[in-house]
Amino acid sequence: SNFLPLWMMPYVFDNLFLERWTAIFRIGVALLRNMENEMMKMDIESLSKYLWEQVHMMDLDTFVLLKQADSISLDKESINFVRDKFYVE
């Protein structure tokens, strides 16, 4: 991964194998929620630089992040919308 710290990847893959692609969606939303306040203060150039250079060095609590991700509710309609719009075989 270019984005997440390497030490976090086994946990992400565990969730991916258990929940398939919805796990990645939930983890992504949880990450964005954690960074929302800081990201909202940035222009697009600063945001791009932040995502490229800084995020992978964040001090994230993996278990808190995964618990947040697990608490994100995805209804069937939302899942189907994302699948139809972005799923690539």
Side-chain angles (χ1 to χ4, degrees):
S1 166
N2 290 333
F3 181 76
L4 295 174
L6 188 57
W7 56 264
M8 187 181 280
M9 295 313 297
Y11 302 102
V12 172
F13 278 113
D14 281 349
N15 279 274
L16 175 63
F17 294 135
L18 288 171
E19 297 182 43
R20 301 188 58 185
W21 66 270
T22 58
I24 301 301
F25 184 78
R26 286 181 177 166
I27 291 168
V29 170
L31 281 166
L32 290 172
R33 285 182 179 173
N34 279 291
M35 299 180 295
E36 181 178 16
N37 290 336
E38 192 167 347
M39 289 172 55
M40 293 301 291
K41 299 174 191 171
M42 298 178 187
D43 61 24
I44 192 70
E45 185 178 338
S46 300
L47 180 59
S48 177
K49 185 175 181 176
Y50 173 75
L51 291 174
W52 183 255
E53 296 177 354
Q54 300 298 318
V55 173
H56 65 280
M57 293 186 282
M58 288 176 60
D59 184 24
L60 297 169
D61 184 329
T62 305
F63 301 106
V64 170
L65 179 69
L66 294 176
K67 187 172 179 126
Q68 290 170 343
D70 191 47
S71 72
I72 294 170
S73 175
L74 295 175
D75 59 59
K76 189 94 169 152
E77 184 178 317
S78 298
I79 292 170
N80 289 337
F81 173 79
V82 172
R83 185 197 64 223
D84 294 344
K85 197 82 164 156
F86 302 106
Y87 184 74
V88 177
E89 290 187 29

